[in-house]
Amino acid sequence: MTKYCPNCGKEVDEDTVYCNNCRAEIDSKNPTPKIINNSNQNSNVSHTTELVLGILGGIFGILGAILAIMFSAFGGDEILMLGMSALIGSIVGIIGAVYLNKNAKYGGIILIISAIWVLISISLFGVLPAILLGIGGILALMKK
């Protein structure tokens, strides 16, 4: 007779106590599954997408900041200061992207702040970096 996990439906051996797929307790007397500690699975959630978006956003932000600094020769000190601000905000964004693996919540918050910071600093040059940093931050905050 074939036995199935009551939680995920995968086939399990007759003498199996815990499902190899979902780690639910297999109890023939009580069909309601009891999930054992899944904290190891949740703590190993990959933040690769957010990391890549954060680093790309930071790089594009740095490029936009460099363009703003170059244009400051024609526009004055205000553009230079905004370009420098965007440069710092982009670097903070890259740091936030790297920090995601240590603490996704704070890393995501740093990415969102960096996105807003870069967008305010260099407007048009900061749209793409702001989108990338913002999406990375939102994805990080949505993952558990």
Side-chain angles (χ1 to χ4, degrees):
M1 181 174 162
T2 307
K3 190 173 176 183
Y4 296 94
C5 173
N7 187 49
C8 69
K10 293 283 185 179
E11 186 175 341
V12 295
D13 293 331
E14 223 23 71
D15 59 343
T16 301
V17 177
Y18 295 103
C19 176
N20 290 331
N21 183 53
C22 70
R23 301 187 58 162
E25 184 176 355
I26 309 298
D27 185 1
S28 59
K29 296 175 189 169
N30 183 5
T32 307
K34 298 176 189 170
I35 305 297
I36 62 170
N37 185 4
N38 281 337
S39 62
N40 292 341
Q41 292 175 349
N42 291 337
S43 65
N44 292 332
V45 173
S46 174
H47 293 285
T48 306
T49 304
E50 298 91 331
L51 176 69
V52 170
L53 287 171
I55 290 174
L56 283 175
I59 289 170
F60 282 117
I62 289 171
L63 292 175
I66 290 170
L67 283 173
I69 291 168
M70 287 173 39
F71 284 130
S72 71
F74 305 110
D77 289 338
E78 291 130 10
I79 295 175
L80 175 65
M81 297 312 287
L82 291 173
M84 295 299 290
S85 174
L87 183 65
I88 295 168
S90 298
I91 292 169
V92 168
I94 292 172
I95 292 169
V98 172
Y99 192 70
L100 283 170
N101 284 331
K102 186 170 184 176
N103 189 322
K105 181 180 177 183
Y106 292 133
I109 291 170
I110 292 170
L111 284 173
I112 292 171
I113 290 170
S114 176
I116 295 168
W117 184 351
V118 170
L119 187 61
I120 290 172
S121 296
I122 54 176
S123 300
L124 184 60
F125 296 124
V127 171
L128 179 61
I131 290 171
L132 293 172
L133 291 166
I135 291 172
I138 290 169
L139 287 175
L141 291 176
M142 288 175 51
K143 281 189 180 177
K144 299 218 178 217

